[in-house]
Amino acid sequence: MKKEAYWIWYPGDWEVWLHQHVSVKREMRQVMFPPYWRMDYHYISVQFIYEYELDEPEEVFFKADGDFSVYIDDLDNGRFNDERITLPAGKHILRVSVYNNERVPSIYAKGKTIFTNDEWKVSCYDNQWKKPGSWKEVFHSPETIPSRYQLETKLEQPIEIEKRGNGYFVDFGKETFGFLQLIGIKGQSEIAVYYGESKEEAEDFEHCILVDHEKLDSSLGESYTFPQSRAFRYVSIVPKEKDFHIGDVSMLYEYLPVSYRGKFRSSNEQLNQIWDTSVYTFHLNTREFIFDGIKRDRWVWSGDSYQSFLMNYYSFFDQDVVKRTLIALRGKDPVHAHINTILDYSLYWFISMYDYYVHTADKEFIESQYDNMVSLMKFCLDRRNEKGMMEGIEADWVFVDWADIDNKGEVSTIQILLYKSLDSLGKLAKIIGKEKESEYYLELAEELQLRIKEYFWVEDKGGFVHRRLDGQLDEKVTKYPNMFALLYDTLDDADRLKVKKQVLLNDDVQKITTPYMRFFELAALCEVNEQEKVLDEILDYWGGMLDLGATSFWEAYDPKQKDAEHYEMYGIPYGKSLCHAWGASPIYLLGKYFLGVKPLSPGYETFIVEPQLGGLEWMEGTMPVADGEVEVYMDKQQIRVKATKSGGILRSYNGDVSYEKEIPADGTELLIDIEG
Amino acid sequence: MKKEAYWIWYPGDWEVWLHQHVSVKREMRQVMFPPYWRMDYHYISVQFIYEYELDEPEEVFFKADGDFSVYIDDLDNGRFNDERITLPAGKHILRVSVYNNERVPSIYAKGKTIFTNDEWKVSCYDNQWKKPGSWKEVFHSPETIPSRYQLETKLEQPIEIEKRGNGYFVDFGKETFGFLQLIGIKGQSEIAVYYGESKEEAEDFEHCILVDHEKLDSSLGESYTFPQSRAFRYVSIVPKEKDFHIGDVSMLYEYLPVSYRGKFRSSNEQLNQIWDTSVYTFHLNTREFIFDGIKRDRWVWSGDSYQSFLMNYYSFFDQDVVKRTLIALRGKDPVHAHINTILDYSLYWFISMYDYYVHTADKEFIESQYDNMVSLMKFCLDRRNEKGMMEGIEADWVFVDWADIDNKGEVSTIQILLYKSLDSLGKLAKIIGKEKESEYYLELAEELQLRIKEYFWVEDKGGFVHRRLDGQLDEKVTKYPNMFALLYDTLDDADRLKVKKQVLLNDDVQKITTPYMRFFELAALCEVNEQEKVLDEILDYWGGMLDLGATSFWEAYDPKQKDAEHYEMYGIPYGKSLCHAWGASPIYLLGKYFLGVKPLSPGYETFIVEPQLGGLEWMEGTMPVADGEVEVYMDKQQIRVKATKSGGILRSYNGDVSYEKEIPADGTELLIDIEG
């Protein structure tokens, strides 16, 4: 194996550092708006260790991000911090201390045989030695210092610039994110920039969320790039001085380079546009971490991420952003509050870990996070009531959904998520050889599942009720617990049918109006083969946003609202995010339930393709299956499938009868005649 | 009560921030040498909260160390960061978010009725609201920003400057600490400075511990102050260029302003010099925190501090430095290793907390540290073996003393310290009203005390043996457990006598050669009324250092060593610290056991003065008794005592008979004729 050097750090610390760094970029009209949760920090002083054996002395190049000192064995009074240090021959323990209180302490060393890599160990001086963190594909030269990490940028032009006074009103044609640029400026002036995801917002100087105020002076440079990247489609540029001139306006689009591996086309042009807009929405939010929305929070939220991870497996399949996001969400011990302060969001984190393993088979990451899973689960289990159920206590926020629901007491959805979390942790523990712990969690999961049925299932309502309060059943049925019960496959066939008819397809049950919960609702409908209904819903709901001119999908959408009403949320005029990751769920629905691509074993070692047209004339697409791709075409006559890796099975239906056939591993096409 | 504004922060965070800041100043020949233990960091994002009620709007001035935003009630989208904000009338909740990833986030606000003070609460967003940290005597104006805190400096001149080449060899006359200054420089040159606590060290360019290399250029300024404060008495100043000239050399002595409240004089001139040198040694080490030694480590060590705190109560009585040091030592959760990685050092921390309460009656500080005590004790108790004893496990360092002793297995001294820690925590818990927890810890303490006697006491040896290994008694008797048993008053009179004769005064028992353990040894001898012997030992041991020219007391002193042998330690020529806090123990011995001043109830609400000449002709001194002072004079005929506060009792002896008399509270003198 060719050895090469790359930067290493205390595991998780670069992600924790980057997370705090980006989390405080949220502003409300240029005033800081920090997260509602504890922001953790990297260890500022760490030590790296590497045991070597050399036949002859070797000169090694060292570069650290921070102050560093090198010594061997226990000779800690003989320390060096030169750029090049000649290490003595023989068997020695090399130690490198690094201190940095502003950026994550990291080290890069390169000799003829000695390199920083994951054979080194690192400690924060707590008597534990760990495999270091790294991102070898990116930070593998002395110049690529981890703390200098930045997203890429690309110059973009507006589609329309309208002169207003001696300023401009500019339209970039679609939702975007980046650094506004003014070109060819002349004179000196204070200048105000009002950003808008909507035209209305950029024109409402008093209420738009994002603004910039700068003093510009052309004698310092004829073009100016604003220092903060912001989300917008429109901008109003308003110089104070009349004799100040701006030649042109552009922007540096800031983005994470990803591969658009998931592709989808169909006979329905609006559906194609929904796919494209979903992927664009999702890409805008897939950055250092996967954010909730790009205009306002720019924060990492666990429930939002849970869905985003699944969308990612059907689009970019970017493992690194998933890992970064999971590490950032979890933060450091001690756990004193739920992730994002939200009870359900702690639970989604466990399920996300399990989903990550299912899609990637990355056992190493699971191992690195195991202690974090155990301590967060301990926090959760310690907060159960005497019935073994979790309810919101102290300052816990029980979210479930933005909707008119009361989440006081034992909420059935929460118990189902806890069941799934325990089940996930139990399975992951087994995978990394923690048999005893695995049994413990799986037993808890099983017990809880029985109790959920006993407590919340109401036979004549054909489903689960929303909650119990003070030991009393609240008779209100909501879709939430029933959707999750379907998604987590905890019901027998008879109950599935009841839930489908009496809850999911029952117009008397409270409707869901956030794209967030529509994700689960529509996925659940697909689980009971309601693709045709789901297609209608997608076209109606997401199509509805497109009809209103959306170029990215929203945080919330209520078809009954009118005009600028759509932009209001949280009691402020433009509070709503018009580019929210959870708005992009058609990616997942179309990839998993229409093209029908799903892993059968971890990392798609085996996988199934069971396409369903759901009312379309035809569809075609490509989906990532870990390191391979599968291409699917289907119309009413035939299915054609090609894959670049082995393990695929095509399942097709003729009425109620299903047929399974292996997909060739050599890339040749498998064609099935449906009516044959 | 007059209200005034002062800076507030998350409790403990300024101390934790300052601790990491000073801990990384250790250098070995200009190469960083960070601490062996985890360095914690402040919370970078915190929120302050204050509920107010105003009859009319009030303009409040805000100044933050960090980015901040202010909002009221839950209107977090309406945020302000102006210097002056007018708060609306009525009843509101004022919130201030502050973020700072480099320095501790803190805030100062001042209005007509609204001020930052300890009526505010603060959270690191972990759902817990705490009383904020502050140092109101020092940080009470907009300009006194906590993160700009610095010790004082004072210009000092050398006693001798010797020209060597075009450089100098300089003697400052005594051990000192500060910033070297070169005055009247001419020309350009690289310059090297070699510092020495001894002449030999400053002349040994290859091996001295502290060096500075700088490029100087008189065109940038005719005097130069070196940026790092260092410990030294001597310096060699060696310019590289022949045509470079230095006019004069001085230094800025850097120190913590303290009051020399403890005073001592006696008929023995060398003892007086020992007192003065002890106080000076102790002052040099009493800084941002109480350090171990000023040349090398400049670190905060719990065992060293435990003694230093006691010395402080008999000299400066600086409560603030004790609190800072206790907070810094404890750091943050989670606890994964012992304080300073040393098992005994975790235990000394509990006893230090108790001692602090006994001397100050500062219940508020105990309350603020209670959770920290509980979690550290949990860590300790979780590491007991099946016999309920602590031994070194994993990477624990069991120190006890720098001596030829084997500390593997169950070390009796450790169990005695654990007993005293449990007893201390139990008593402190009771004081702050945690009755149930108090009982729990006190019961554990009592059980352990019985077990210690049962396991380690060997009747025919008249004392405790050093340890058990694998269930077998190691028959070796050391002074350590027997000293602590005396100090912590766990023996009956008969056993005390045995320990005194068969162990402490037994020449066959291994001698103690560190000032560190001599502290406990001599205190224990005083506990059994061996003041005369102790006086001889002080004159012999500390007098021995003075005879060798010491101007401050050392980390270790072995009278058998010769010349530069004295300076060697840790396998390097000048490894030994010649100014070590634990070298200053005569302060405590003379104050507590000769002048005989001791608190009887917390904060010296009542206190006793029982002077003992111990062979001196006469002695006199002043000792702090919390906010008061007591003056004592004694010779062979009479005792005279004056106090500035009530609660004092003078106890005098006539042979074996003791007499007690109240010391007047009005400052008038109490005179006792001893032979009367």
Side-chain angles (χ1 to χ4, degrees), chain A residues 140 183 315 514 539 554 674:
Chain A
H140 53 60
I183 313 291
S315 52
T514 58
L539 291 170
W554 303 353
I674 297 172

Side-chain angles (χ1 to χ4, degrees), chain A residues 401-403 512-519 541 555-557 582:
Chain A
D401 191 17
W402 287 127
I512 289 174
T513 61
T514 58
Y516 175 51
M517 274 292 143
R518 299 229 78 187
F519 177 103
Y541 191 78
E555 180 175 17
Y557 167 57
W582 72 28

Side-chain angles (χ1 to χ4, degrees), chain A residues 405-592:
Chain A
I405 43 173
D406 190 335
N407 290 326
K408 232 169 149 308
E410 296 156 337
V411 174
S412 53
T413 303
I414 296 295
Q415 316 318 320
I416 294 172
L417 292 175
L418 177 59
Y419 149 74
K420 181 67 176 172
S421 299
L422 285 163
D423 187 65
S424 297
L425 179 49
K427 285 173 178 161
L428 292 174
K430 193 175 166 67
I431 282 156
I432 60 166
K434 311 263 183 190
E435 296 286 342
K436 229 178 88 190
E437 286 100 323
S438 173
E439 268 172 43
Y440 167 71
Y441 294 119
L442 291 176
E443 262 170 39
L444 283 178
E446 203 174 322
E447 281 164 31
L448 181 60
Q449 194 183 353
L450 294 172
R451 218 168 312 134
I452 291 166
K453 186 80 195 273
E454 183 194 331
Y455 278 38
F456 299 103
W457 181 267
V458 177
E459 188 60 30
D460 69 349
K461 290 182 185 279
F464 295 101
V465 299
H466 190 69
R467 61 165 185 158
R468 283 164 35 116
L469 183 64
D470 303 326
Q472 295 298 310
L473 215 59
D474 177 342
E475 295 276 304
K476 178 174 178 169
V477 171
T478 59
K479 289 185 177 176
Y480 310 110
N482 296 288
M483 283 149 39
F484 285 104
L486 280 178
L487 290 171
Y488 299 151
D489 200 16
T490 68
L491 300 175
D492 61 28
D493 286 350
D495 285 348
R496 287 168 75 86
L497 210 64
K498 286 174 207 156
V499 159
K500 173 177 169 173
K501 282 198 172 158
Q502 290 181 253
V503 183
L504 293 193
L505 299 178
N506 180 352
D507 278 344
D508 294 337
V509 174
Q510 184 177 326
K511 288 209 167 19
I512 289 174
T513 61
T514 58
Y516 175 51
M517 274 292 143
R518 299 229 78 187
F519 177 103
F520 299 119
E521 181 190 23
L522 297 181
L525 283 169
C526 290
E527 290 285 343
V528 291
N529 298 310
E530 284 292 323
Q531 269 79 349
E532 289 202 24
K533 181 172 173 56
V534 168
L535 180 60
D536 287 347
E537 295 277 343
I538 290 176
L539 291 170
D540 187 54
Y541 191 78
W542 280 265
M545 285 187 260
L546 290 181
D547 292 344
L548 290 170
T551 60
S552 56
F553 290 126
W554 303 353
E555 180 175 17
Y557 167 57
D558 183 347
K560 294 191 297 290
Q561 291 184 319
K562 294 247 172 295
D563 306 325
E565 263 177 33
H566 283 296
Y567 309 137
E568 196 186 314
M569 204 166 169
Y570 308 104
I572 49 171
Y574 307 97
K576 190 181 289 174
S577 156
L578 299 190
C579 180
H580 226 65
W582 72 28
S585 53
I587 295 170
Y588 177 69
L589 298 170
L590 295 172
K592 179 169 181 184

Side-chain angles (χ1 to χ4, degrees), chain B residues 179-222:
Chain B
F179 306 90
L180 188 71
Q181 289 190 318
L182 306 182
I183 313 291
I185 57 175
K186 277 188 194 139
Q188 292 181 1
S189 180
E190 284 177 33
I191 192 161
V193 177
Y194 305 96
Y195 297 88
E197 290 189 311
S198 62
K199 193 162 184 287
E200 290 85 338
E201 185 180 10
E203 288 175 330
D204 189 342
F205 298 174
E206 292 300 306
H207 297 105
C208 67
I209 303 290
L210 299 176
V211 299
D212 268 320
H213 291 278
E214 289 288 341
K215 281 183 191 170
L216 299 188
D217 182 345
S218 57
S219 71
L220 300 172
E222 290 189 356

Side-chain angles (χ1 to χ4, degrees), chain A residues 17 20-21 24 26 28 30-46 67-71 76-81 97-99 101-102 124-128 209 296 333-334 336-338 341 383 394-396 569-570 572, chain B residues 17 20-21 24 26 28 30-46 67-71 76-81 97-99 101-102 124-128 209 296 333-334 336-338 341 383 394-396 569-570 572:
Chain A
W17 171 81
Q20 62 88 15
H21 193 67
V24 294
R26 178 173 183 175
M28 182 69 196
Q30 285 198 300
V31 181
M32 175 192 73
F33 194 141
Y36 302 130
W37 42 87
R38 193 183 72 200
M39 275 203 291
D40 291 323
Y41 207 59
H42 61 272
Y43 292 117
I44 57 174
S45 177
V46 299
D67 291 332
F68 80 105
S69 58
V70 172
Y71 63 97
D76 56 2
N77 280 309
R79 289 177 180 247
F80 304 91
N81 59 4
S97 305
V98 187
Y99 166 78
N101 70 348
E102 294 180 23
C124 64
Y125 299 91
D126 65 351
N127 291 341
Q128 300 177 49
I209 303 290
R296 203 190 51 230
D333 281 339
H336 281 158
H338 285 295
T341 76
R383 290 170 93 81
E394 295 160 7
D396 295 350
M569 204 166 169
Y570 308 104
I572 49 171
Chain B
W17 171 82
Q20 63 87 16
H21 193 65
V24 294
R26 177 174 183 175
M28 182 68 196
Q30 284 199 301
V31 182
M32 173 193 74
F33 193 142
Y36 302 131
W37 43 85
R38 192 181 74 199
M39 275 204 292
D40 290 324
Y41 208 62
H42 61 273
Y43 292 117
I44 58 175
S45 177
V46 299
D67 290 332
F68 80 103
S69 57
V70 172
Y71 63 96
D76 57 2
N77 280 310
R79 289 176 181 249
F80 303 91
N81 58 4
S97 306
V98 186
Y99 166 79
N101 69 350
E102 294 178 26
C124 64
Y125 298 93
D126 65 350
N127 291 341
Q128 300 175 48
I209 303 290
R296 201 190 53 230
D333 282 338
H336 281 160
H338 285 296
T341 77
R383 289 169 95 80
E394 296 159 10
D396 294 351
M569 202 166 170
Y570 308 104
I572 49 171

